[in-house]
Amino acid sequence: AQSVTQLDSQVPVFEEAPVELRCNYSSSVSVYLFWYVQYPNQGLQLLLKYLSGSTLVKGINGFEAEFNKSQTSFHLRKPSVHISDTAEYFCAVLLRGSYIPTFGRGTSLIVHP
Amino acid sequence: DAGVIQSPRHEVTEMGQEVTLRCKPISGHNSLFWYRQTMMRGLELLIYFNNNVPIDDSGMPEDRFSAKMPNASFSTLKIQPSEPRDSAVYFCASSIDRGGEETQYFGPGTRLLVL
């Protein structure tokens, strides 16, 4: 069975600073990896996903993530955050051949002016 | 496309009452998921349908919960009788089967409060 750990429940940061949200997973088979964002009072929406190929994945709103197989990590980064990036971020893993992803507990990104 | 549509957006009811949550997936999507989100437990998968057939309902808490998908464009999640501990945000999500790398598209959620 797979699992996802988001190491930080909350990450406060000042506007225009860089940010990294951490995600580690465990799985004995190949996986697909996803980052979703949830703005207040909304559903989750896809930021980016890793399926195969280049380990650096670029998503919407200037976010990117790097798949590191040896460290089983898929950390999300943004070089300069905006107030509007304040939201909950979820990492998810999907076993190849499965249809049901496993979501992490989420990381609350709080951007201060 | 209108995206995944859920209704109602908010529901307040009294303990013991029946609650029905509704979901219309994105047209052409053949997988549908019901999730429950709480502060304590995070995002939990309740049930997964593929081509209108329930495939995995191991997340359904107990017999008070039931879900149906009578056709490709409609699903319901029913709680009968409701209890205060059922208070949560319930999300419906849909995806299209492309061999395992499906992106899930979430609805806006139904915020349920059981008094």
Side-chain angles (χ1 to χ4, degrees):
Chain A
Q2 72 275 23
S3 66
V4 179
T5 302
Q6 292 186 241
L7 298 165
D8 306 298
S9 60
Q10 205 172 79
V11 173
V13 64
F14 286 107
E15 195 173 18
E16 298 183 6
V19 70
E20 178 180 83
L21 306 183
R22 297 180 291 170
C23 173
N24 287 87
Y25 70 92
S26 65
S27 173
S28 57
V29 299
S30 296
V31 298
Y32 301 114
L33 295 158
F34 305 79
W35 275 100
Y36 287 83
V37 61
Q38 183 181 27
Y39 298 105
N41 299 315
Q42 294 185 27
L44 283 68
Q45 56 183 275
L46 183 71
L47 263 182
L48 50 79
K49 61 184 176 183
Y50 170 79
L51 305 179
S52 65
S54 174
T55 57
L56 183 63
V57 180
K58 293 190 183 297
I60 62 172
N61 300 339
F63 283 93
E64 63 181 33
E66 186 154 19
F67 170 56
N68 188 319
K69 188 174 181 179
S70 62
Q71 296 186 4
T72 60
S73 67
F74 191 55
H75 300 334
L76 181 70
R77 302 185 183 97
K78 186 169 182 178
S80 175
V81 294
H82 301 134
I83 296 286
S84 59
D85 293 323
T86 294
E88 193 83 12
Y89 292 79
F90 292 89
C91 181
V93 62
L94 178 66
L95 296 183
R96 297 195 182 206
S98 172
Y99 300 97
I100 302 175
T102 297
F103 285 85
R105 289 299 306 270
T107 296
S108 178
L109 175 63
I110 302 169
V111 181
H112 297 286
Chain B
D1 198 316
V4 176
I5 298 172
Q6 290 187 249
S7 64
R9 291 294 310 275
H10 302 273
E11 177 80 30
V12 181
T13 190
E14 292 187 344
M15 183 174 62
Q17 296 298 305
E18 177 180 295
V19 175
T20 300
L21 311 181
R22 297 173 177 80
C23 174
K24 177 178 168 55
I26 292 173
S27 176
H29 284 192
N30 62 345
S31 291
L32 185 137
F33 305 78
W34 280 101
Y35 290 91
R36 177 171 68 177
Q37 185 179 39
T38 61
M39 289 291 292
M40 290 295 293
R41 302 170 71 96
L43 196 64
E44 303 174 274
L45 176 67
L46 299 177
I47 188 168
Y48 158 59
F49 290 89
N50 185 261
N51 293 322
N52 312 337
V53 175
I55 303 298
D56 187 335
D57 65 355
S58 59
M60 294 287 264
E62 50 200 86
D63 291 345
R64 298 186 297 107
F65 285 68
S66 62
K68 294 182 180 179
M69 192 164 187
N71 57 62
S73 59
F74 184 65
S75 177
T76 60
L77 177 67
K78 186 176 293 186
I79 308 172
Q80 166 63 18
S82 58
E83 297 182 3
R85 61 189 167 127
D86 302 329
S87 297
V89 182
Y90 291 81
F91 289 104
C92 175
S94 70
S95 66
I96 187 166
D97 185 347
R98 287 202 179 107
E101 51 95 337
E102 302 88 352
T103 296
Q104 294 194 357
Y105 294 84
F106 283 75
T110 295
R111 191 172 297 271
L112 174 65
L113 178 61
V114 183
L115 301 174

